[in-house]
Amino acid sequence: MQRFSALALARNALSGQTGWQRQWRSPDPAKRYNAIIIGGGGHGLATAFHLARDHGMRNIAVLEKSWIGGGNTGRNTTIIRSNYLFNASSSLYDHAVKLWENLSQTLNYNVMFSQRGVLMLAHNVHDEQVFKRHVHANRLNGVDNEWLTAAQAKAFCPPLRIDAGMRYPVLGAALQRRAGVARHDAVAWGYARAADALGVDIVENCAATSIVRDRQGAVEAVETTRGRIATAKIGVVAAGNTSVIMGMAGLRMPLESFPLQALVSEPVKPVLPCIVMSNTIHAYISQSDKGELVIGAGTDAYISYSQRGALHVSTHTLEAICELFPQFRRMRMLRNWGGIVDVTPDRSPIIAKTSVPGLYVNCGWGTGGFKATPGSGHLFAWTMAKDEPHPINAPFTLERFRDGFLIDEAAAAAVSH
Amino acid sequence: MTGPFRTEIGGRIDRTRRIDFRFDGRLYSGHPGDNLASALLSHGVHLLGRSFKYHRPRGVLGAGSEEPNALVRVGSYESRATPNLRATQVEIHDLLVAESQNRYPSLSFDVGAINDVLSPLFPAGFYYKTFMWPAWGWRRLYEPIIRRMAGLGRAPTAPDADIYAQRYVHCDVLVVGAGPAGLAAARAAAQGGARVLLCDEQSEFGGSLLSEPDTTEAGRNRLAWRAATLATLAASDNVTLLTRSTAFGVFADNFVALVERVTDHLANPEPALPRERLWQVRARQVVLATGAIERPMVFAGNDRPGVMLAGAARTYLHRYGVRTGRRIVLATSADSAYGVAMDLHRAGLTIAAIADVRNEASGPLAAAARAAGLPLRTSTHIAATHGRLRIRGATLARNGTGAREKVACDLLLMSGGYTPTVHLYSQARGTLRFDESLGAFLPGGDTGILQVAGACRGIFATDVAIADGAEAGTVAAARTDPGGAPQPVRTISVPDSGALLAREAPCDRRAFVDFQNDVTTKDLRLAVREGFVSVEHVKRYTTAGMATDQGKTSNINALALVANERRMDMAAVGLTTFRMPYTPVTFGTLAGAARGNLFDPIRQTPIHAWAEDRGAVFEDVGMWKRARYFPAARETMAQAVARECRAVRTGAGLFDASTLGKIEVVGPDAAIFLERMYVNNFRKLAVGRARYGLMLGEDGFVLDDGVIGRLAPDRFHVTTTTGGAPRVLAMMEDYLQTEWPDLRVWLTSTTEEWAVVSIQGPRARDIIAPFVIGIDLAPQAFPHMAVAEGTILGVNLRIFRVSFTGECGFEINVPADYGSDVWHAIMQQGTVFGLTPYGTEAMHVLRAEKGYIIVGQESDGTATPDDLGLGWAIGRGKSDFVGKRSLARAAMRDPSRKQLVGLLTSNGETVLQEGAQIVTAANGNASIGHVTSAYFSTTLGRSMALAMISGGKARMGEKLLAPMLDRTHEVTVAPAMFYDPKGERLYG
């Protein structure tokens, strides 16, 4: 692997930057691998990286039906935070935040993790109760999160509107200072390059078409659009298409897939210093390094595999943004897109073994998987390598939906009065 | 005074009127009909912007929405300032103030141009390779600098002063684009009887008709045909015409979104007019006549001010009466350039050289140019351009030989062929095919509800495009009338053209592909070399096509260069996805009128006005405004709440419970239905009795609660929580329609039909008894949980004897229109009994004293009935109800589940914080639960709290801790019932 640095860039400037090699190879798939990851998004690539680096596993492949990082990794709004309520969730996401803090150095790839802080706005008494519960729970778990008054929130984020004339005035906010954003594509590419350097084969344009099981029911091979590939371990990390892939092994998943839209404005000079989220009026916003306002909201209402949403979701999102930031009303939407998110009944992920020997699954990240990428890869690799979960992901089983040991962050965040 | 580059006659500007405007502080003039670019070009001003990355000086490239370079900030007041507008789309008006962007201190001298000098260090994706040391450096050192360098314009700093509107319309045929094909399509469709909507992004209809010479190839007078067609359309009742209206998004089933720019072009718009209007159109048929965009040529120095698209120069000449230069070099790989050359030649401009990169230039246009003696050189490319803030000359080189020639010029025009504008077609999920002879992706065909006509499908000749549009319009109209005559079909096919796709000219300097984002051929080569070979990877790594023009002039060139580099076919390389919007759309237009009080409907009860008069402080609960407390003079919230609570406990209190959700459940199977939806038994509920109903989700967790009264064997009055009403009704309908369609049950939301006046306290009965007719309210006759219908003050009454306070209480339901009168009458009657209005805060305290839960506060979607101490509500022997199966799961019987308990602080003055976590003394870091409600109770004379604590019911009397940021409170676990545990007052 060619090492990246300012010096290397300067050296290459002398040759017109023509000395760079491929960041990852483009191999044909081998006949057999020790482990196969289905899904070349951030989570899948991170899993391969950790399998190779932490567990010394060799002869690994990542199969991607299209181009790596092209699913939700390259479509999300890149918010990274760990201020989740339940112990199981906050440890899971904080594990990831800790890895994010050194990810650029780990991968020798600048993923531009920027801990700008996330403000989560409270607009009513119920919000205030919920966020304070989060703040106290996070503090006991060693996760930073603090309660701010509306004035303190405005001091942290000067463009934010807090006056009483709002339909739903800002009563206060929870602030996680360690939260941030990162460059999503760089995460996929950085992991791909680092995994490739450890010998992982990243096979693009290779879709799994069926999963072959032996007489005992264990995983034996994957049929793909580029031929049959033998393997005894398969990790499925296919986000919105997880149900389809797991169906190939005869497993029905407790997942629903929804379109989730996001949009960006035209780029402008720095104007928004942090991330602002409002669950109550449905919007979140940050500004990218390029200057675009990056905006998202909730999923579309109907399940779908089409990476396209309906206009009214964008209009509703922008209503909320314009209410919070009326000075952005003349800004313009440059690009809008959709991804497909896989949602579990309790809105928490599944990182687990399955009832099929040799088949592992990492899915159900819903609208918030990007933030977990490094931790998810690390834990899923552990689970695949040792055939047992790491203590952090032990609660995130598939069986919890049968047994009722749910980790219901959505229910905890906002329900009825 | 008119600009020195203005022609003497011609163009669609009104030369009789002068418009003064400012650009970068200098005063310029133009005419009505001008846009900012044409007006500035008429003064010879080409330098209008700086590029994103290298801050290179840039001039106007195009003449429309494809413009990547000439971006300006318009508006003299922050409340009406808009950044990043294309000068080619900004119509000038008196007092217009525009400024250039992304430069410091000035447009002609920009210190940011240092990036250009250092550009060898800054290839595509350089930022992924550096800024990693030290680890803290990114956030604190590098990123702030990069952020300041990036961005284009400045965002407005003041709230927008304008308003926006939205309309929804249906039509038979929507025609997008009013060039020759679109006008013809609209006319044909209208003549076919269809209701037609025709929109175009420009200030006037006509498209290329406005930009080209008077007569077409077939001798048709373009402007005369346009005028006649428009007159026909304007005279048709069934046609709506929308100029300045961009169709920016196509969604499922011909749902098309347009943005109409209403006032930006006016100096003094009527204040009532919206700035922009969003049209959401559902069209039975769509005809896309969106035209085509010219491609730049890729050669070294192709980005200097004064380098322009050939077609744009023609537009400036014919439409705006502006000569974009005096001495012109034309670089081309397509025949269309010769038409432009002849036009400019006829207008008196000097054609210094035409460099055609192709080995031969055939066709009638090239022949005409030759015949006119224009200096035409084939097999020739541009090797370099010269000049800094404006082009001064170009070096022409023979392909494959070293022969070079330097030609002086002040304008260099490029024509690399045309790219059909297939954005909307692609958004509609039409499939594209690559046409080798056109060097372009073309629509694969008609989708049945959406057709394409004219240049958008590769038909560039005006006369053919008109015929093609007319056919499309006829077909579209016929399709909207399925009973009509035999369906017509399209007959015109796409002709060949000889355009060559971009090939990089050999050079050692930078040739720009994406002008705004400064993506060069070297960047594309680097991306491919580093393995970014998928088009999406190339785009994301180099940022080609990701600028504010979304690659309208750059995408195909970038693809062609990648295809070249990879030695692949264009078709195999493929296209990146076209996403909405076609051009950027104002946030405000999408948000519309939804601001302030219109952001979300405000729901007010019939008693709202009274409460407002009384000085109530309101809280938002969902969309409702609820009175939280009624402070008397100088009272704090705590004092008011204490007074209100005392009144209820000692005399009576009056509470507006109108926000409670109400659903009328009617039908022979109503009892069976409710029995399945709720955990309780309803079949045995007698008429005239009510029951506390508990609803679970399929997961077995508490979803909602309320009181359900049986008014008749087949009629129930169901109440829900305030916030839960829509969800409960939707869930009921869902089950009724999909799971139990056999049940004869009808559901009606009656939340707003009834005003609910709740009177609570030992004197409640005394106060209302005189008003209630037809119901004996005596305790034996009308006990707790009774319901009856009667009249009160002459209006229909449904009265429940229920309590959410622990006192004897009645909920008086009257038709909403009479709610206020009934409330007034009761208040008046109650004065002597000390009747006191109380708000939601006192209600919360009173119910907490009794341990009554609030769904969403005690429960959070993870609590079972047992957890909340409500296991008693589950009807015995019921075979099934929603959530029953889930209650049998292992986790539901886990003894460590959180259970509802009371907490008493050691110091009775201390009110715990809601949300505070609870730990044991043994392990101060492991939360075992949390405080759900905490208040100071005047009744108890001390604080109290409700909490969900792991294994809480087995912890009675146990001392626990509530650690706060600054200190830790000691608490004792108590039953979740602080007041009248035997219920003597309730049943009294």
Coordinates of all heavy atoms in Angstrom, one line a residue, chain A residues 17 23 68 105 110 114 116 129 133 136 139 167-168 183 185 267 269 287 289 308 329-331 333 336 401-403 411 416-417, chain B residues 84 102 120 128 132 143 147 150 153 160 162 427 530 537 540 585 587-588 600-601 623 721 727 855-856 860 889 891 913-914 963:
Chain A
Q17 N 1.4 13.9 -10.4 CA 0.5 13.0 -9.6 C 0.2 11.7 -10.5 O -0.9 11.2 -10.4 CB -0.8 13.7 -9.3 CG -0.7 15.0 -8.5 CD -0.2 14.7 -7.0 OE1 -0.2 13.6 -6.5 NE2 0.2 15.8 -6.3
Q23 N -6.1 2.1 -5.6 CA -6.3 2.1 -4.1 C -6.8 0.8 -3.7 O -6.5 0.4 -2.5 CB -7.3 3.2 -3.7 CG -6.7 4.6 -4.0 CD -7.4 5.7 -3.3 OE1 -8.4 5.5 -2.6 NE2 -7.0 7.0 -3.6
I68 N -18.6 -0.3 -4.7 CA -18.5 -0.2 -3.3 C -18.9 1.1 -2.7 O -18.7 2.2 -3.4 CB -17.1 -0.6 -2.7 CG1 -16.1 0.3 -3.2 CG2 -16.8 -2.1 -3.1 CD1 -14.7 0.2 -2.5
Q105 N -6.2 7.8 11.0 CA -4.8 7.3 11.2 C -4.8 5.8 11.0 O -3.9 5.2 10.5 CB -4.4 7.7 12.6 CG -4.1 9.2 12.8 CD -5.3 10.1 12.7 OE1 -6.4 9.7 13.2 NE2 -5.2 11.3 12.2
N110 N -7.9 10.0 5.0 CA -8.6 11.1 5.7 C -10.1 11.0 5.5 O -10.6 11.3 4.5 CB -8.1 12.4 5.3 CG -8.6 13.6 6.1 OD1 -9.3 13.3 7.1 ND2 -8.2 14.8 5.8
S114 N -15.2 15.0 11.9 CA -15.2 16.3 12.5 C -16.2 16.4 13.6 O -17.4 16.4 13.4 CB -15.5 17.3 11.4 OG -15.7 18.6 11.9
R116 N -18.1 18.1 15.6 CA -18.7 19.5 15.6 C -19.8 19.5 16.7 O -20.3 20.6 16.9 CB -19.3 19.8 14.3 CG -18.5 19.3 13.1 CD -19.1 19.8 11.8 NE -19.0 21.2 11.6 CZ -17.8 21.8 11.4 NH1 -16.7 21.2 11.3 NH2 -17.8 23.1 11.3
Q129 N -38.4 16.0 29.0 CA -38.3 14.8 29.9 C -37.4 13.7 29.2 O -36.5 13.1 29.8 CB -39.6 14.2 30.2 CG -40.5 15.1 31.1 CD -42.0 14.7 31.0 OE1 -42.4 13.9 30.2 NE2 -42.7 15.2 32.0
R133 N -33.7 12.4 30.4 CA -33.4 11.0 30.7 C -32.2 10.5 29.9 O -31.4 9.8 30.4 CB -34.7 10.2 30.3 CG -34.6 8.7 30.6 CD -35.9 8.0 30.2 NE -35.7 6.6 30.3 CZ -36.5 5.7 29.7 NH1 -37.5 6.1 29.0 NH2 -36.3 4.4 29.8
H136 N -29.0 11.9 31.6 CA -28.6 11.2 32.8 C -28.1 9.8 32.5 O -27.1 9.4 33.1 CB -29.7 11.2 33.8 CG -30.1 12.6 34.3 ND1 -29.2 13.4 35.0 CD2 -31.3 13.3 34.3 CE1 -29.8 14.5 35.3 NE2 -31.0 14.5 34.9
R139 N -24.6 9.9 31.0 CA -23.6 10.3 31.9 C -23.1 9.0 32.7 O -22.0 8.8 32.9 CB -24.1 11.4 32.9 CG -22.9 12.1 33.6 CD -23.4 13.2 34.5 NE -24.1 12.7 35.6 CZ -25.4 12.9 35.9 NH1 -26.1 13.6 35.2 NH2 -25.9 12.4 37.0
R167 N -43.8 28.1 15.9 CA -45.0 27.3 16.2 C -44.6 26.3 17.4 O -45.4 26.1 18.2 CB -45.3 26.5 14.9 CG -46.4 25.4 15.1 CD -47.7 26.1 15.4 NE -48.8 25.0 15.5 CZ -49.0 24.4 16.7 NH1 -48.4 24.7 17.8 NH2 -49.9 23.4 16.7
Y168 N -43.4 25.7 17.3 CA -42.9 24.9 18.4 C -41.6 25.4 18.9 O -40.6 25.1 18.4 CB -42.8 23.4 17.9 CG -44.0 22.8 17.4 CD1 -44.2 22.5 16.1 CD2 -45.0 22.5 18.3 CE1 -45.4 21.9 15.7 CE2 -46.2 21.9 17.9 CZ -46.4 21.6 16.6 OH -47.6 21.0 16.2
R183 N -16.7 12.2 6.1 CA -16.8 12.1 4.6 C -17.2 10.7 4.3 O -16.4 9.7 4.3 CB -15.5 12.5 4.0 CG -15.5 12.3 2.5 CD -16.1 13.5 1.7 NE -16.2 13.2 0.3 CZ -17.3 12.9 -0.3 NH1 -18.4 12.9 0.3 NH2 -17.3 12.5 -1.6
D185 N -18.0 8.8 1.5 CA -17.3 8.0 0.5 C -15.9 7.5 1.0 O -15.5 6.4 0.7 CB -17.1 8.8 -0.8 CG -18.5 9.0 -1.5 OD1 -19.3 8.2 -1.4 OD2 -18.6 10.1 -2.1
P267 N -23.6 24.9 -2.3 CA -22.6 25.2 -1.3 C -22.5 26.7 -1.0 O -22.7 27.6 -1.9 CB -21.3 24.8 -1.9 CG -21.5 24.7 -3.4 CD -23.0 24.4 -3.5
K269 N -20.5 29.6 2.0 CA -19.4 29.8 3.0 C -19.9 29.3 4.4 O -21.1 29.3 4.6 CB -19.0 31.3 3.0 CG -18.4 31.8 1.8 CD -17.1 31.1 1.4 CE -16.5 31.6 0.1 NZ -15.3 30.8 -0.3
Q287 N -23.6 21.2 7.9 CA -23.0 21.8 6.7 C -21.7 21.0 6.4 O -20.9 20.7 7.3 CB -22.6 23.3 6.9 CG -22.2 23.9 5.6 CD -21.9 25.4 5.8 OE1 -21.8 26.0 6.9 NE2 -21.9 26.1 4.6
D289 N -18.0 20.0 4.5 CA -16.8 20.8 4.3 C -16.9 21.6 3.0 O -16.3 22.6 2.8 CB -15.6 19.8 4.2 CG -15.2 19.3 5.6 OD1 -15.5 20.0 6.6 OD2 -14.7 18.2 5.7
R308 N -36.1 5.9 -4.4 CA -36.7 7.2 -4.7 C -37.9 7.4 -3.8 O -38.7 6.5 -3.4 CB -37.3 7.1 -6.1 CG -38.3 8.1 -6.5 CD -38.5 8.2 -7.9 NE -39.5 7.3 -8.5 CZ -40.0 7.4 -9.7 NH1 -39.6 8.3 -10.5 NH2 -40.9 6.6 -10.1
R329 N -34.2 30.2 4.1 CA -35.3 30.0 3.2 C -35.0 30.3 1.7 O -35.6 29.7 0.8 CB -36.4 31.0 3.7 CG -37.8 30.7 3.2 CD -38.8 31.6 3.9 NE -39.2 30.9 5.1 CZ -40.3 30.1 5.2 NH1 -41.0 29.9 4.1 NH2 -40.6 29.6 6.3
R330 N -34.0 31.2 1.5 CA -33.7 31.5 0.1 C -32.6 30.6 -0.4 O -32.2 30.7 -1.6 CB -33.3 32.9 -0.1 CG -34.4 33.9 0.1 CD -33.9 35.3 0.1 NE -34.1 35.9 -1.2 CZ -35.2 36.6 -1.6 NH1 -36.2 36.7 -0.8 NH2 -35.3 37.2 -2.8
M331 N -32.1 29.7 0.4 CA -31.1 28.7 -0.1 C -31.8 27.8 -1.0 O -33.0 27.7 -1.0 CB -30.5 28.0 1.1 CG -29.7 28.9 2.0 SD -28.1 29.2 1.3 CE -27.3 27.6 1.3
M333 N -32.3 23.9 -2.9 CA -32.0 22.5 -2.9 C -31.3 22.1 -4.2 O -31.8 22.4 -5.3 CB -33.3 21.7 -2.8 CG -33.1 20.2 -3.0 SD -34.6 19.3 -2.6 CE -35.6 19.6 -4.1
N336 N -31.3 15.9 -4.4 CA -32.1 15.1 -3.5 C -32.0 13.6 -3.9 O -32.0 13.3 -5.1 CB -33.6 15.6 -3.6 CG -34.6 14.7 -2.9 OD1 -34.8 13.5 -3.3 ND2 -35.2 15.2 -1.9
F401 N -36.3 -10.8 19.0 CA -37.6 -10.5 18.5 C -38.6 -11.6 18.9 O -39.8 -11.4 19.0 CB -37.6 -10.2 17.0 CG -36.7 -9.0 16.7 CD1 -35.4 -9.2 16.2 CD2 -37.1 -7.7 17.0 CE1 -34.6 -8.2 15.9 CE2 -36.2 -6.7 16.8 CZ -35.0 -6.9 16.2
R402 N -38.0 -12.8 19.0 CA -38.8 -13.9 19.4 C -39.1 -13.9 20.9 O -40.2 -14.1 21.4 CB -38.1 -15.2 19.0 CG -38.9 -16.5 19.4 CD -38.0 -17.7 19.3 NE -36.9 -17.6 20.3 CZ -35.7 -18.3 20.1 NH1 -35.5 -19.1 19.1 NH2 -34.8 -18.2 21.1
D403 N -38.0 -13.5 21.6 CA -38.0 -13.6 23.1 C -38.5 -12.3 23.8 O -38.8 -12.3 25.0 CB -36.7 -14.0 23.6 CG -36.2 -15.4 23.1 OD1 -37.1 -16.2 22.7 OD2 -35.0 -15.6 23.0
A411 N -39.0 3.7 20.6 CA -40.1 3.9 21.5 C -39.6 4.8 22.6 O -40.4 5.6 23.2 CB -40.4 2.5 22.1
S416 N -46.4 8.6 22.5 CA -47.6 9.4 22.8 C -47.6 10.1 24.1 O -46.7 9.9 24.9 CB -48.8 8.5 22.7 OG -48.6 7.5 23.7
H417 N -48.6 10.9 24.3 CA -48.7 11.6 25.6 C -49.9 11.0 26.3 O -50.9 10.7 25.7 CB -49.0 13.1 25.4 CG -47.9 13.7 24.7 ND1 -47.1 14.6 25.4 CD2 -47.4 13.6 23.5 CE1 -46.1 15.0 24.5 NE2 -46.3 14.5 23.4
Chain B
N84 N -25.4 32.4 -5.4 CA -25.2 31.3 -6.3 C -26.2 31.3 -7.5 O -26.5 30.3 -8.1 CB -25.3 29.9 -5.7 CG -24.3 29.7 -4.6 OD1 -23.3 30.5 -4.6 ND2 -24.4 28.8 -3.7
N102 N -17.0 34.2 -4.0 CA -15.9 33.3 -3.9 C -14.6 34.0 -4.3 O -13.7 33.4 -4.9 CB -16.1 32.1 -4.7 CG -15.2 30.9 -4.2 OD1 -15.0 30.8 -3.0 ND2 -14.8 30.1 -5.0
P120 N -0.6 21.7 -8.6 CA 0.0 20.4 -8.7 C -0.1 19.6 -7.4 O 0.0 18.4 -7.4 CB 1.5 20.8 -9.0 CG 1.4 22.1 -9.7 CD 0.3 22.8 -9.0
Y128 N -8.0 13.4 0.7 CA -8.1 12.0 1.4 C -6.7 11.6 1.8 O -6.5 10.6 2.6 CB -8.7 11.0 0.4 CG -10.1 11.3 0.0 CD1 -10.4 11.4 -1.4 CD2 -11.1 11.6 0.9 CE1 -11.7 11.7 -1.8 CE2 -12.4 11.9 0.5 CZ -12.7 12.0 -0.8 OH -13.9 12.3 -1.3
M132 N -3.8 14.5 8.0 CA -4.1 13.4 9.0 C -3.1 13.6 10.2 O -3.2 12.8 11.2 CB -4.0 12.0 8.4 CG -5.1 11.7 7.5 SD -4.9 10.1 6.7 CE -3.9 10.4 5.3
E143 N -9.5 21.7 8.7 CA -10.9 21.8 8.3 C -11.4 23.2 8.3 O -12.0 23.7 7.3 CB -11.8 20.9 9.1 CG -13.2 20.8 8.5 CD -14.1 20.0 9.4 OE1 -14.1 20.3 10.7 OE2 -15.0 19.3 8.9
R147 N -12.8 24.9 4.9 CA -14.2 25.3 4.9 C -14.3 26.8 4.4 O -15.2 27.1 3.7 CB -14.9 25.2 6.3 CG -15.3 23.8 6.6 CD -16.0 23.7 7.9 NE -16.5 22.3 8.0 CZ -17.8 21.9 8.0 NH1 -18.7 22.9 8.0 NH2 -18.2 20.7 8.1
A150 N -13.7 26.8 0.8 CA -14.8 26.2 0.0 C -16.1 27.0 0.1 O -16.1 28.1 0.5 CB -15.0 24.8 0.5
G153 N -21.1 31.2 -2.6 CA -21.6 32.5 -2.1 C -21.8 32.5 -0.6 O -21.5 31.5 0.0
D160 N -35.8 35.5 5.5 CA -36.3 35.8 4.2 C -37.6 36.6 4.3 O -38.5 36.3 5.1 CB -36.7 34.5 3.5 CG -37.1 34.7 2.0 OD1 -37.1 35.8 1.6 OD2 -37.3 33.7 1.4
D162 N -39.7 37.3 1.8 CA -40.7 37.0 0.8 C -41.6 35.8 1.3 O -41.3 35.1 2.2 CB -39.9 36.6 -0.5 CG -39.5 37.8 -1.3 OD1 -40.4 38.7 -1.4 OD2 -38.4 37.9 -1.7
Q427 N -35.4 10.7 -14.6 CA -36.1 10.7 -13.3 C -37.4 9.9 -13.4 O -37.8 9.3 -12.4 CB -36.5 12.1 -12.9 CG -35.3 12.9 -12.4 CD -35.8 14.3 -12.0 OE1 -36.9 14.5 -11.6 NE2 -34.9 15.3 -12.0
E530 N -6.2 5.3 -10.1 CA -6.3 4.9 -8.7 C -7.5 3.9 -8.5 O -7.8 3.5 -7.3 CB -6.5 6.1 -7.8 CG -5.2 6.9 -7.7 CD -5.3 7.9 -6.5 OE1 -5.8 9.0 -6.7 OE2 -4.8 7.5 -5.5
H537 N -18.0 6.3 -8.9 CA -16.8 6.5 -8.2 C -16.0 7.7 -8.8 O -15.4 8.5 -8.1 CB -15.9 5.3 -8.2 CG -16.3 4.2 -7.2 ND1 -16.0 2.9 -7.2 CD2 -17.1 4.4 -6.0 CE1 -16.5 2.3 -6.2 NE2 -17.1 3.1 -5.5
R540 N -17.7 10.8 -7.7 CA -17.5 11.2 -6.3 C -16.1 11.5 -6.0 O -15.8 12.3 -5.1 CB -18.0 10.0 -5.4 CG -19.5 9.9 -5.4 CD -20.0 8.5 -5.1 NE -21.5 8.5 -5.1 CZ -22.2 8.6 -4.0 NH1 -21.7 8.7 -2.8 NH2 -23.5 8.5 -4.1
V585 N -33.7 24.4 -6.4 CA -35.1 24.9 -6.0 C -35.0 25.5 -4.6 O -34.4 24.9 -3.7 CB -36.1 23.8 -6.1 CG1 -37.5 24.4 -5.6 CG2 -36.2 23.2 -7.4
F587 N -35.6 26.6 -1.0 CA -36.1 25.9 0.2 C -37.6 26.5 0.4 O -38.5 25.8 0.7 CB -35.3 26.2 1.4 CG -34.0 25.4 1.5 CD1 -33.6 24.5 0.4 CD2 -33.2 25.4 2.6 CE1 -32.4 23.8 0.5 CE2 -32.1 24.7 2.7 CZ -31.7 23.9 1.7
G588 N -37.6 27.8 0.4 CA -38.9 28.5 0.7 C -40.0 28.0 -0.2 O -41.2 27.9 0.2
D600 N -47.7 24.2 11.4 CA -48.5 23.1 11.7 C -49.8 23.6 12.1 O -49.9 24.7 12.8 CB -47.8 22.3 12.8 CG -47.8 20.8 12.6 OD1 -48.2 20.4 11.5 OD2 -47.4 20.1 13.5
P601 N -50.9 23.0 11.8 CA -52.2 23.5 12.3 C -52.2 23.6 13.8 O -51.5 22.8 14.5 CB -53.2 22.4 11.9 CG -52.5 21.6 10.8 CD -51.1 21.7 11.1
M623 N -50.4 18.8 18.2 CA -50.8 20.0 17.6 C -51.7 20.9 18.5 O -52.0 22.0 18.2 CB -51.6 19.8 16.3 CG -50.8 19.2 15.2 SD -51.9 18.9 13.8 CE -50.8 18.0 12.7
T721 N -55.7 8.8 24.4 CA -54.8 9.9 24.9 C -54.9 11.0 23.8 O -55.3 10.8 22.7 CB -53.4 9.4 25.0 OG1 -52.9 8.9 23.7 CG2 -53.2 8.3 26.0
R727 N -53.2 7.7 15.8 CA -52.5 6.4 15.7 C -53.5 5.3 16.1 O -53.5 4.2 15.5 CB -51.3 6.4 16.7 CG -50.5 5.2 16.6 CD -49.2 5.3 17.4 NE -49.5 5.7 18.8 CZ -49.1 6.7 19.5 NH1 -48.3 7.6 18.8 NH2 -49.4 7.0 20.7
V855 N -49.6 7.5 29.5 CA -48.9 6.7 28.4 C -47.9 7.7 27.7 O -48.3 8.8 27.3 CB -49.9 6.2 27.4 CG1 -49.2 5.5 26.2 CG2 -50.8 5.1 28.1
G856 N -46.7 7.2 27.6 CA -45.7 8.1 27.0 C -44.8 8.8 28.1 O -43.8 9.3 27.7
D860 N -42.9 3.9 27.9 CA -42.1 4.5 26.8 C -42.1 3.5 25.7 O -41.1 3.5 24.9 CB -40.7 4.8 27.3 CG -39.9 3.6 27.8 OD1 -40.5 2.5 27.7 OD2 -38.8 3.8 28.3
R889 N -43.8 -14.0 25.9 CA -42.4 -14.2 25.6 C -41.5 -14.1 26.9 O -41.9 -13.5 27.9 CB -42.0 -13.1 24.6 CG -42.7 -13.1 23.3 CD -42.1 -12.2 22.3 NE -42.4 -10.8 22.7 CZ -42.0 -9.7 21.9 NH1 -41.4 -10.0 20.8 NH2 -42.3 -8.5 22.3
A891 N -38.9 -12.6 27.7 CA -38.5 -11.3 28.3 C -39.6 -10.7 29.2 O -39.3 -9.9 30.1 CB -38.1 -10.3 27.2
Q913 N -35.5 15.3 39.3 CA -35.7 15.7 37.9 C -36.3 14.5 37.1 O -35.8 13.4 37.2 CB -34.3 16.0 37.3 CG -34.4 16.8 36.0 CD -33.1 17.4 35.5 OE1 -32.3 16.7 34.9 NE2 -32.9 18.6 35.9
E914 N -37.3 14.8 36.3 CA -37.8 13.7 35.5 C -36.8 13.3 34.5 O -36.1 14.1 33.8 CB -39.1 14.2 34.7 CG -40.3 14.4 35.7 CD -41.4 15.2 35.2 OE1 -41.3 15.9 34.2 OE2 -42.4 15.3 35.9
P963 N -28.4 9.9 41.2 CA -27.2 10.7 41.1 C -27.4 11.8 40.1 O -27.9 11.6 38.9 CB -26.1 9.8 40.6 CG -26.9 8.6 39.9 CD -28.2 8.6 40.5

